């Protein structure tokens, strides 16, 4: 997706909430007594989070991301090597 903070950059983040979903996250995950906050994702937006909860700039900092900034979908993991392979699509029905 296009970075909401710098439109010259592309970033990869995990979508954890779609429009209308409630998402609860830790405000400061580095603190053991960190409080949590719940947001409802606005229409035509997604909530994204990076895999490194302690050092990722994501929706916890810049808020929900408009659909228009999404430019692609990741379908394969290459790092770490022992996790190489296709990423499961939980939305597919068997």
């Amino acid at each position: 997706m296009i970075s909401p903070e710098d439109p010259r950059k592309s970033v990869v983040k995990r979508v954890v909430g779609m429009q209308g979903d409630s998402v609860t996250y830790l405000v400061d995950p580095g603190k053991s007594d960190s409080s949590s906050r719940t947001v409802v994702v606005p229409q035509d937006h997604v909530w994204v989070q990076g895999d490194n909860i302690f050092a990722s700039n994501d929706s916890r900092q810049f808020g929900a991301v408009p659909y228009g900034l999404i430019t692609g979908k990741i379908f394969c993991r290459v790092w770490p090597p022992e996790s190489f392979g296709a990423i499961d699509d939980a939305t597919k029905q068997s």
Side-chain angles (χ1 to χ4, degrees), residues 31-48:
K31 293 183 178 178
S32 60
D33 62 344
S34 180
S35 61
S36 63
R37 183 172 295 154
T38 300
V39 296
V40 176
V41 182
Q43 185 172 348
D44 299 327
H45 286 70
V46 294
W47 189 267
V48 297

Side-chain angles (χ1 to χ4, degrees), residues 6-8 21 25 40 54 59-61 66 75-76 78 81 91 94:
D6 184 350
R8 296 172 296 174
D21 289 345
Y25 63 95
V40 176
F54 301 106
S59 288
R60 293 172 297 150
Q61 284 78 37
F75 59 90
C76 184
V78 296
T91 62
S94 305

Side-chain angles (χ1 to χ4, degrees), residues 1-81:
M1 72 178 210
I2 298 168
S3 170
E5 297 177 308
D6 184 350
R8 296 172 296 174
K9 293 183 180 180
S10 293
V11 296
V12 176
K13 301 292 178 189
R14 184 180 308 271
V15 174
V16 296
M18 304 285 289
Q19 65 182 12
D21 289 345
S22 292
V23 177
T24 301
Y25 63 95
L26 293 175
V27 175
D28 186 356
K31 293 183 178 178
S32 60
D33 62 344
S34 180
S35 61
S36 63
R37 183 172 295 154
T38 300
V39 296
V40 176
V41 182
Q43 185 172 348
D44 299 327
H45 286 70
V46 294
W47 189 267
V48 297
Q49 288 183 200
D51 288 344
N52 184 347
I53 193 170
F54 301 106
S56 180
N57 285 342
D58 51 34
S59 288
R60 293 172 297 150
Q61 284 78 37
F62 49 71
V65 176
Y67 286 157
L69 294 183
I70 298 173
T71 57
K73 178 180 178 179
I74 301 299
F75 59 90
C76 184
R77 177 182 295 125
V78 296
W79 195 263

